Amino acid sequence: MPGMEKQESPAAAVTAFQELGAELAAAGVVMGKMFGASSLMLDKKALACLNGDKVVFKLGKETAEHAHALALPGAVLFDPSGMNRPFKDWVEVPFSSRSEWPAYAEAALRFVAGG
């Protein structure tokens, strides 16, 4: 996507993200690419992607998980263009909250799978 500054991901974030993928593999989640970033995909639909040391989860803007994720320190709506046009269903959760990543990955899987 033009304008999106690809942030390099530190090794610890890459490892944590790969562990999320491994945990969800039994549900049919595979590693893929979205916006040129490593992503977790279900049936060719992205549910999470790694952006620098943050993971962006597709949680659905009306869900309790979305509200909870946005309340975390440093969490923001995902704005890949950097032009104040965020994707309302997507929340970027920082590495400092990585202990929460597995729960959000499962919530994103449920959302992308249709409930």
Side-chain angles (χ1 to χ4, degrees), residues 7-21 31 38-40 48-57 93-99 101-102:
Q7 297 183 25
E8 287 303 310
S9 300
V14 171
T15 298
F17 188 73
Q18 289 171 338
E19 287 171 0
L20 287 180
M31 296 299 256
S38 294
S39 303
L40 300 180
C49 72
L50 185 63
N51 183 30
D53 66 347
K54 302 169 282 294
V55 175
V56 187
F57 297 98
V93 179
F95 189 71
S96 57
S97 294
R98 66 192 171 279
S99 63
W101 287 357

Side-chain angles (χ1 to χ4, degrees), residues 59-67 88-89 111:
L59 298 171
K61 64 180 189 281
E62 303 296 322
T63 65
E65 293 87 358
H66 185 280
K88 293 179 175 40
D89 283 335
F111 180 73

Side-chain angles (χ1 to χ4, degrees), residues 41-90:
M41 315 284 286
L42 179 70
D43 299 329
K44 299 191 172 60
K45 293 185 285 199
L47 54 106
C49 72
L50 185 63
N51 183 30
D53 66 347
K54 302 169 282 294
V55 175
V56 187
F57 297 98
K58 187 171 189 178
L59 298 171
K61 64 180 189 281
E62 303 296 322
T63 65
E65 293 87 358
H66 185 280
H68 184 265
L70 265 184
L72 293 169
V76 293
L77 287 176
F78 182 45
D79 184 6
S81 71
M83 298 175 71
N84 204 23
R85 291 197 301 260
F87 290 11
K88 293 179 175 40
D89 283 335
W90 294 80

